[in-house]
Amino acid sequence: MGLRRVAITGAGTINALGHDVPTTLAALAEGRLGIGALDLPDIDRLAIRIGGQVKDFDPTAIHSRQELTLYDSFTRFGLHAAREAIAASGLDFAGELGERAGVVVGTGVGGAETLDENYAALFRDGKNRVHPLVIPKLMNNAAGSHISMAHGLRGPNFTVSTACSSSNHAMGLAFQLVRSGAATAMVTGGAEAPFSFGGIKAWEGLRVMSKDGCRPFSKTRNGMVQGEGAGMFVFEEWDHAAARGADILAEVIGFQMTSDASDIVMPSEGGAARAISGALKDAGLAPDEVGYINAHGTGTAANDRTECAAVRRAFGAAADDVMISSTKSMHGHLLGGTGAVELLACIMALRDGVVAPTIGYQEPDPACDLDVVPNAAREAEVEVAVSNAFAFGGLNAVLALRRV
Amino acid sequence: MRSDVKDKVVEIIAELAVLEPSDISMDSTLDELGVDSLGLVESIFAIEETFEIDVPFNANEPQASEFDISSVGAIVEAVTGLVEAKKG
């Protein structure tokens, strides 16, 4: 059997911009800011007090007490997004299809919130025991496993943890499973709940967080701002989707992952450029066929400069004609969930012809002299979109999608 | 007081640079001493813990920071200022 084509037939999300795909896309198109003051206990002990928090989401209205005992926030976000994606796809995994369908989820810190709460109980409050279900609640594969249990997905199921590239790695591997014929459909994306007290303290220590906003590519940028939530998709064998008349959102056409093998935190132009070029090669594309890049665009000095240089290296002269934006300026950096929420911006560009902006842009930086779609969305016919993710540890994962 | 701060800062930087305190002059830059970006955030952490102060430093804009890291002498000055400010 040759390679199969891969269709995206469902999408779901929850993030600081909204609790579903339509609300999120409307916010991305408007350039709405989802980042604001963090609402957390002991906030006065934190130096970083802003983030892209999910608002007005009451898990007790959705889940039973017993379920909540088992679900860390990242699992709740993952389940919420997966439910929307699967409903949109129209697929039912109860029958035989469920054995040919699986889950690949990306998460950076998994159940860190549960870990943090329970360490506090032991070390701060002096308790001598923790809840008996702490382990299944905090494990990184909890979200993926609960998604499979809720929907009868009985094929391959695994969780990828590659820091800020986690969800691009997850979706790339799901793409490869469907393309190779190993699975008919995969539910894939990422989920993250990074706003634990200990987690924020640890990030503060790295000195790369902004106290006042995420301004990718702007000369005035001063760091990253975190976000929480999830993005999930249904990747389905093209012929299977077409045969049942599914509404195909986009086609996944290329993926490449590379390792810098150089530094544990500083990004590398070469590693990033090889991932971008590799994804284009995998898709059989020339750089000038790409209309939009959803940037990793964290708003740190190091990432944005290195990413722009990598795009120039991979695209050559075509770099001057491609639009590149960072939607982290709106929803924040969801770490292991970020590429999944950002794939929505790629789908919006392809399907609706609307390119999401980089908001918060104040002043050009000569080191980032690409068309970063500053502050206002743009209407454009986009045939191919690329999504970049570059992680601490030097791990790069780039996806390419085509308009249907 | 000032020389006390100086000795402790030099000790912190020497340890991170794997050098003897006597190898470090006030004109030395962190770069010359082989202290990279990770070593820098580690040294700032050690300074905060040693002097019980908060150092205003963002790795994204080291030049724009109120905390001058251009040389060992500049760091000693900056830490001295923060320690005195804490005393009020």
Side-chain angles (χ1 to χ4, degrees):
Chain A
M1 286 294 277
L3 294 179
R4 276 85 160 171
R5 292 173 69 191
V6 180
I8 303 179
T9 55
T13 191
I14 181 166
N15 63 80
L17 298 172
H19 296 184
D20 56 32
V21 171
T23 314
T24 300
L25 294 188
L28 289 172
E30 268 173 38
R32 197 189 304 154
L33 180 67
I35 292 166
L38 284 173
D39 178 14
L40 291 173
D42 295 321
I43 190 80
D44 55 319
R45 288 181 58 205
L46 294 170
I48 301 302
R49 298 179 183 183
I50 58 168
Q53 255 179 325
V54 169
K55 294 157 206 88
D56 307 318
F57 180 59
D58 178 13
T60 60
I62 302 168
H63 301 298
S64 68
R65 194 199 64 83
Q66 203 175 8
E67 286 172 332
L68 289 174
T69 306
L70 278 167
Y71 299 168
D72 182 276
S73 290
F74 94 105
T75 296
R76 297 203 292 264
F77 294 150
L79 276 166
H80 185 92
R83 189 181 309 112
E84 184 188 8
I86 292 167
S89 78
L91 287 175
D92 180 354
F93 301 107
E96 214 175 296
L97 177 63
E99 293 181 10
R100 305 249 336 128
V103 188
V104 194
V105 170
T107 188
V109 298
E113 168 197 280
T114 298
L115 202 58
D116 206 48
E117 281 168 6
N118 285 283
Y119 278 146
L122 291 175
F123 300 132
R124 181 190 62 199
D125 305 337
K127 300 227 189 243
N128 278 325
R129 62 177 73 86
V130 296
H131 191 279
L133 300 178
V134 166
I135 292 295
K137 187 177 180 183
L138 67 77
M139 62 193 189
N140 273 15
N141 60 309
S145 291
H146 284 296
I147 291 167
S148 75
M149 288 151 57
H151 299 281
L153 294 148
R154 286 158 286 147
N157 188 341
F158 58 99
T159 294
V160 179
S161 188
T162 49
C164 305
S165 294
S166 301
S167 47
N168 268 24
H169 273 120
M171 295 187 293
L173 292 166
F175 163 61
Q176 291 180 339
L177 284 167
V178 176
R179 182 166 70 167
S180 72
T184 302
M186 293 298 292
V187 175
T188 186
E192 201 78 276
F195 294 127
S196 65
F197 186 77
I200 298 171
K201 275 285 175 203
W203 276 98
E204 281 180 2
L206 265 178
R207 310 262 169 180
V208 295
M209 304 279 288
S210 172
K211 290 180 184 174
D212 51 24
C214 179
R215 295 181 291 277
F217 307 119
S218 176
K219 196 165 175 42
T220 59
R221 69 190 181 277
N222 62 3
M224 56 182 276
V225 175
Q226 288 185 358
E228 65 178 355
M232 292 289 164
F233 300 88
V234 176
F235 285 11
E236 183 177 353
E237 190 188 323
W238 183 278
D239 291 346
H240 188 272
R244 65 187 185 92
D247 180 17
I248 297 175
L249 303 176
E251 181 177 3
V252 190
I253 54 173
F255 175 57
Q256 178 66 295
M257 36 191 169
T258 65
S259 181
D260 297 340
S262 58
D263 192 281
I264 198 69
V265 291
M266 291 304 282
S268 134
E269 177 189 330
R274 283 191 297 116
I276 298 167
S277 296
L280 298 186
K281 190 172 171 223
D282 188 41
L285 292 168
D288 62 5
E289 293 177 81
V290 179
Y292 171 61
I293 301 171
N294 185 285
H296 192 55
T298 57
T300 62
N303 174 82
D304 295 2
R305 187 172 56 223
T306 307
E307 182 168 16
C308 289
V311 167
R312 283 216 170 273
R313 192 191 287 197
F315 274 63
D320 288 318
D321 298 317
V322 71
M323 291 174 277
I324 174 167
S325 71
S326 170
T327 52
K328 287 187 178 73
S329 56
M330 292 178 260
H331 49 65
H333 188 344
L334 282 76
L335 309 180
T338 210
V341 171
E342 291 163 27
L343 205 70
L344 292 169
C346 292
I347 292 173
M348 182 171 79
L350 298 169
R351 195 171 159 89
D352 305 333
V354 178
V355 175
T358 304
I359 70 164
Y361 188 83
Q362 294 169 329
E363 201 183 314
D365 178 354
C368 304
D369 63 340
L370 298 172
D371 177 2
V372 299
V373 197
N375 298 324
R378 214 176 288 165
E379 288 190 13
E381 292 245 320
V382 176
E383 195 62 38
V384 172
V386 162
S387 175
N388 286 347
F390 311 129
F392 274 179
L395 312 182
N396 313 298
V398 177
L399 285 157
L401 306 187
R402 188 195 294 281
R403 183 166 67 150
V404 177
Chain B
M1 149 68 205
R2 174 132 200 251
S3 72
D4 202 33
V5 171
K6 181 180 155 186
D7 291 347
K8 283 184 183 162
V9 169
V10 166
E11 210 175 290
I12 288 167
I13 293 171
E15 193 184 332
L16 280 159
V18 202
L19 293 168
E20 291 301 321
S22 55
D23 295 333
I24 290 174
S25 77
M26 288 299 105
D27 299 333
S28 309
T29 67
L30 294 179
D31 206 28
E32 286 164 6
L33 298 171
V35 177
D36 64 5
S37 59
L38 288 181
L40 174 60
V41 294
E42 281 190 87
S43 59
I44 288 171
F45 170 69
I47 286 167
E48 288 183 325
E49 289 288 287
T50 303
F51 299 102
E52 293 179 345
I53 53 173
D54 285 318
V55 173
F57 176 80
N58 180 338
N60 292 290
E61 41 181 9
Q63 279 74 35
S65 175
E66 307 147 57
F67 191 77
D68 187 354
I69 54 156
S70 57
S71 69
V72 174
I75 294 172
V76 170
E77 278 302 320
V79 173
T80 304
L82 288 168
V83 171
E84 277 166 7
K86 190 186 81 165
K87 284 183 181 162

